[in-house]
Amino acid sequence: MTNDIAGLTKSDVALIIGSDTSEAHPVIAARLKRAAKNGMKLIVIDPKRIKMADYATIYACQRPGTDVAVLNGMMHLIIKNGWEDKEFIAERVEGYEALKAEVEKYTPEYVEKISGIPAKTLEEIAELYGKAPTAALYYAMGITQHTTGVDNVKSTANLQMLCGNMGKVGGGVNPLRGQSNVQGACDMGGLPVVYTAYQQVTNAEVKEKYEKFWGCSLNANNGLPMTVAIDKAYEGEMKAFYVMGENPMMSDPDLHHAEEAFKKLEFLVVEDIFMTETAKLAHVILPASTWPEKQGTFTNTERKVQLLEKAVEPPGEAKDDWEIHQLLANKMGQQWAYTCSQEIFEEMTKCTPSYAGMSYERLRNGYGLHWPCPTPEHPGTPVLHVGRFTKGKGTMFAIPFKEPAEMPDAEYPIYLTTGRILQHFHTATMTRKSPGLCNLAGPSVMVSVEDAETMGIGNSAKVRVTTRRGSIVTNAFVTKRIPKGTAYVPFHFAEAPANMLTNNALDPVAKIPEYKVCACKLEKA
Amino acid sequence: MLVTINGKQYEAEAGQTILQVAKKHGLYIPSLCYHQKVGVAGKCRACVVEVEGMRGLQTSCSVVVRDGMNVSTRSEKALQAQKLVVDLLLSSGKHDCLSCAQNGKCELQDAAYYLGIERPTLVFSDLEPHGDESSEFIKVDHNKCISCGRCVAACQKTVTNDVLDFGYRGANTEIVFDDGKLMGKSTCVQCGECVQICPVGALTEKKVAGQARYWETEKVKSVCPYCGVGCTMEIHVDRKLNKIVRVNGDENSPVNEGMLCVKGRFGYDFVDHSDRLTSPMIRNDDGSFRKASWDEALDLVATKLNDIKVKHGTDKIMGLASAKVTNEENYTFQKFMRTVIGTNNIDHCARL
Amino acid sequence: MKAQQLKIALRNCGFIDPEEIQDYIANEGYLALASSLSGSRQAVIETIKKSGLRGRGGGGFATGLKWEFAAKPEADRKFVVCNADEGDPGAFMDRAVLEGDPHSVLEAMAICGYAIGADEGYIYIRAEYPLAIKRLRIAIAQAEEAGLLGENILNSGFSFKIKLKYGAGAFVCGEETALIKSMEGHRGEPVSKPPFPATKGYRGKPTNVNNVETFANVPAIINRGADWFAAIGTEKSKGTKVFALAGKVKKVGLVEVPMGTTLRQLIYEIGGGILGDKQFQAVQTGGPSGGCLTVKHLDTPIDYESLIAAGSMMGSGGMIVMDEDDCMVAVAQFYLDFTMEESCGKCVPCREGNKALYNILHKITHGEGTMADIDRLKELAVVIKSTSLCGLGQTAPNPVLSTINNFYDDYVQHIVDKKCRAKRCRALLEYRVVEENCIGCGACKRACPADAITGELKQKHFIDQEKCIKCGACHQKCKFNAIAID
Amino acid sequence: MTCSINQQIINEKIVEICSEFKNDPDELIAILHKAQGHFGFLPSEVQQAVAEQLHIPVSKVFGVVTFYSYFTMEPKGKYPISICMGTACYVKGAEKVLHEFESKLKIKNGQTTSDGRFSLNTLRCIGACGLAPVVMIGEKVYGGVKPEDAGKIISEYPA
Amino acid sequence: MDKVKNTEELKVLQSTLRKAAEEAASSKVVIKIAMATCSIASGSKPVLDFFKEEMPRQPLEFIIKSTGCTGLCHSEPTVEVTLPGKAPVMFGHVDVKKAAAIVNDYIKGGKPVEGTVEVCRS
């Protein structure tokens, strides 16, 4: 998020696109709903009539995978009516003319044809949004998990720059991150192309800095993203995987393919807290501690670093992950000598500019710090890009609309989209070990009232969902919230895994799979 | 400005209520409906005080202080009224403190203790048991409910789930879920905000029954392990049993203001689940696993990784970091992959 | 000189056809509005202030002052609300005015709107008054058609519209903040004041709320002048008051008398005395918020202050006369039953305290009371009065306090002797066979649902007091006066 | 009228009623009056439909319905009998009248006869104190009712 | 009714209407029947109907008005009759039988009928 959570009630208008906020980010949803009740205007654009739509001034139901068209359409109207922030564009942005030329053809009528959003509704949305003094934009995986994920993200940024909503309280581009420390994992260099704080591995200066800091020589080449590595493993090119606290055998697209890939590995180490679907394929399993069993920090979706204190002892011989890494490193000839997580944090801040001003003491004496926080006196940065963009001028991109990789056809006539439900988390490794949460929600496929009628089924009937890649049988949840011709499967459940069905087509840049759109058929089972 | 309370002067800020000033200076006034989060309700009337120059009793939760105001929270008239109001609440409900999960953290209990009420003195006819255990995580005991309205305000104004409201009227007034449904049959998402804000034992967590009581647990600050919002929480630990008894949202956190979702509040059972991995395991040739010592397991991993590194090259090894472990552990993991293995093949499921 | 009625609020009631605006116009109708519109807003408020008119809904707040408060704040919208949620059991003044002279209320609301700067008015009326609703609808339509309501009234530039809002059976909605909540579609729960409706009322805007009778006085005051009105009544209570005289009085009816008339004059001279020439026991004024006054109060002049001094209050004008056959403890219990049912349940003293009062009274009327209960009643009553959120709770214990003060012996009799002098408390009655009258017909025995009566045919019967449930069936069935009630 | 009303019919009627009041939540009470006037009572299905149409929580609708005594969630009898319990009626013996109706109809206050013909309720003063005690059946008012009149009054309403 | 455009028009209308009422009172029989809730509950409706049916059969000019509550609950239904040039007389407890007597004896014959009620006027 470019902006902070506490400031999200300060918008005049908020747009939610591609986020089932109350299911996936319930506490942020609470604050947005509250703000909407207190007068903030809320616009919701989503194929599902999500709960947030009940609090919205305008809700628009879009065909899955049409975000670029919708956002371009909004920008078309905003420019046409002169609602853009001319001063902001002139002073802080480059690429405006190209964007303007691109969105020219996205008339409401044209966008209606693509997205199914009535021209009149789009006009209402554009007016409400374009005229707002301050508007914030929220998205989640509904924007990113597409073959056009990067295009979608850039389009959201285009819109926010166009309206001058960047660098101010109540505005911003605000991706809602899905896991407790997904932001931190990225910040810490858990990515193939960067060290901590997004310092490029291919940058010689950076490499040199790290070689000096760590006292060793480092690889100068970009590594592989996970999705590509699995394909390579499938082809026999990758030999070993070391998996820490992840469960790709649930979370990866096209699980048949992934399983084959994992089975071809020479060696698989899994470090986890439970015997996950992935651990079952491992050669060695290392038992780790979990959240309340250790001290450490998480960085949340608003870039805020917060401290966790240890509450209970881990079971049996389970160890903190860092301790396992140290033992293994030392087995492999290193002399690591951390005695606690605080020492690691201190080392990390020395090579991580955006964390440089942080310490456990500072984190403990308040409610965390937003990065960038470059010095011990710096108060942290709740809102990014105030006054100027970090990189100087913000770049607008002209982005044409592209259809998703797989579209419904005669054989597979229904859009399949996947995501989360409130009661479970990600691959459900943790939540399915809670009997209460399991009692509250189990596997299902959400289908529209119309499609249920066509199939002649009611609630809880068994339904077979089939795509070109696989097939699952699960319970129907018939609801008015799903439009005709669309089905929704939560991906938490091993017995009806959504990712048996999903398409592993990737975004060409980010290599993110298109979980949000593929084609399926529904049958009474 | 200065305000006199019970004969002593206290510093106060403009706009503060008498109750807020008293609280800030550690002075206790019985009060059951006011909560900083949901604001002034003026319902319980237990916080009445006398203010010089104002006629009759004033509710301290609603009267804003003026410079030089002279307040008595313990005048005979104020105490008599406070006592009777609390007595009415004790008498009209069934507050079985001995087995109540809220024992020791009950604001009604605090008020009764402060006012020296040993037992209720008014007779209300025998109350029928009136509870609702239909919800997965939350127990409702209407006989302990004092209709203070905090839960209703929290559900409508804080978490904005709009499930709770008041139904019926007069002495029959009670909290209702949707159109009078059982809690478990309603649209309640069991975020537990109502439980956290309930001053008495009317809304309690089912799971805490019989476990260590409030004063027996150690409170540890932490951050929720689920989605990326980063709600801060207070984990209540039974040290003797090395067990989490309860998780509360941190009321002062700017991130979540005390709120949690059903997972964050109730989904901690996995921690001491019997399926937890408790020792390293090595796969047998037949595909089954055997327990191993750390030494053996790590030796095997070190050997295997070294072999592959040597045989196939460092870039044939992939490391998956985790969006669910700490920054420190992600740091050591990528450091391990980069410095020990010598590859940038590191990723995690940020995209998945 | 015999007390006379003086009709101001009721000046047209029963004389004109309420469904014909011409009848109203012929009787000075809308002249007050016309003359108000030709003067300044402030002049209207001054006139009302000078007249000394006070709220007739019960509280007795100075009407002119109230208007002035609502006139003061600047706001894009303001509202005039007529409180026609007449809920006092035993009061029907407002219904009579609305059914008999609806235009006087409409005209007054328009005058008020002009004075405070509002162009919208609402009448919050009980849904239980279908005829009043019908006549109001007709009156509004006729006034609009005649241009006496609506846009640019009488070419003055002033516009005023009136709409109806229905109550739905909640006494507490007579309290103005609860009424406003109810108008907004909420549960009728009062909110603490300040802020007062005059600054923050309906839809958060300045709102002036007056009741029907208050409004009905306004056109007359404007037409005849503040001095005329102020010359009527007592020093602090000007004008007249309408009472619904009911209960055990010969001439039950709706009367309007100058303030200062005594209770005795009202009951004996205008009301014709006690029904059946029985003994006067009590008069209840002020409804559930008021109290029961006794013989010693009969010469109390009717005005706001005197009634309060006597332990009751003016209220909206219900006046129930009780004779020797009424049990005053049971009457107190009746009122508590009412307030308990009608409490909104928001604040503790009213919700639980009145129930506690009721429970104790129930104990007493069932022969289970102790003398300590009387102290308990008093103690509770005082705290409920001093701690309740709104007027309903603050006055709910009045019937208990006034009956304890004025009919203490009745309480003692119920508690100590376990008897009810008025024979109204069934649990304290003893049904007994009058042997000299019993012919042994067996009718009582057959009627007894508890098998408490024994006796052979043609023999004297006997009631087993242990078994008797005091239902009274035997007494009803006996044709020979052979069942006595003690 | 039966308890099971078709949901679709309810929804259509509620949409019609609510739009008459411009879907303004301020008009909730007026809308409920109208809905009760139409359906005779306000069952859960009606409350749900109103909540949905006005975009307000159904708990709010339920809270309002149960607050006001005029609203009912149970179907009333074909001939709803209301006995005034205002003070004037009370002192003139309304309680006895109520008891007589209860025993004649074999139902308690608040109930409906099994054949659905009569329901019995008390209400708080209908403002006809001059006629106390007063009984109302539908819109018809009976004044000066004595307990012994109950049977005769009931017999005016044939099956 | 036409729109009253200004105060002047209202005043003119007022005096016209009042004059008409006074003229009617001096030349016609004016019958007012209380038709408030309690009057109706006591049976005023059939009485009103009776007058409406009966009066046209009489060789008299008349006006029948229904009014609101007279305040005389103890005597409902009430009927007020004003014979031309005479003071109004209020009859209480009027049923159809008594109404017939009022028409025959009082209105036509000028003879008193039992059961009049004293009324306060101001």
Side-chain angles (χ1 to χ4, degrees), chain A residues 31 37 55 180-181 192 194 221 224 226 242 246 300-301 306 311 313 317 325 331 338 347 360 422 510, chain B residues 162 226 228-230 239 242 254-255 263 278 295 318 320 323 328 331-332 338 344-347 349 351:
Chain A
R31 300 181 82 140
K37 257 194 182 180
Y55 293 81
S180 51
N181 198 31
V194 289
N221 303 320
L224 299 175
M226 174 65 182
Y242 182 174
E246 294 280 1
N300 74 353
T301 185
Q306 303 188 108
E313 294 298 328
E317 294 176 45
H325 305 154
K331 288 261 184 216
Y338 305 116
E347 177 183 312
Y360 271 24
L422 172 68
Chain B
D162 294 320
Y226 293 113
V229 174
R239 211 21 98 212
N242 188 40
V255 171
K263 299 186 292 295
T278 53
D295 246 354
M318 176 79 199
L320 263 195
E328 292 76 359
Y331 176 82
T332 53
R338 292 194 158 107
N344 285 317
N345 285 343
I346 305 147
D347 202 356
C349 66
R351 298 175 193 83

Side-chain angles (χ1 to χ4, degrees), chain A residues 291-292 311-312, chain B residues 101 205-219 234-248 265-266 268-269 271-272:
Chain A
W291 135 81
V312 290
Chain B
E205 289 183 26
K206 278 185 176 174
K207 288 203 286 189
V208 305
Q211 301 222 46
R213 285 169 292 183
Y214 265 95
W215 66 87
E216 296 176 303
T217 57
E218 195 178 318
K219 281 81 182 169
E234 206 176 47
I235 303 177
H236 296 201
V237 182
D238 182 339
R239 211 21 98 212
K240 293 190 296 269
L241 297 178
N242 188 40
K243 189 174 166 39
I244 299 174
V245 171
R246 168 195 289 113
V247 168
N248 268 356
R265 190 180 299 278
F266 301 113
Y268 55 80
D269 344 24
V271 174
D272 57 3

Side-chain angles (χ1 to χ4, degrees), chain B residues 32 44-45 80-95 108 115 117 119-124 127 143 145-146, chain C residues 347-357 359-360 376 379-381 383-384 387-388:
Chain B
L32 297 163
C44 78
R45 322 302 281 182
Q80 189 207 6
Q82 291 168 9
K83 202 165 170 173
L84 204 63
V85 166
V86 173
D87 193 349
L88 277 169
L89 286 173
L90 287 169
S91 304
S92 60
K94 231 178 184 172
H95 300 275
L108 184 61
L115 295 165
I117 303 173
R119 59 183 61 81
T121 67
L122 293 151
V123 180
F124 281 72
L127 296 161
N143 284 339
C145 177
I146 57 170
Chain C
C347 76
V348 175
C350 180
R351 181 182 74 228
E352 308 295 352
N354 284 317
K355 193 170 181 195
L357 285 180
N359 288 344
I360 297 173
R376 202 71 182 134
E379 190 190 348
L380 265 165
V383 172
I384 295 168
T387 58
S388 287

Side-chain angles (χ1 to χ4, degrees), chain C residues 157-169:
Chain C
F158 172 68
S159 304
F160 196 75
K161 281 207 171 105
I162 294 177
K163 290 183 195 144
L164 302 187
K165 286 252 185 190
Y166 301 137

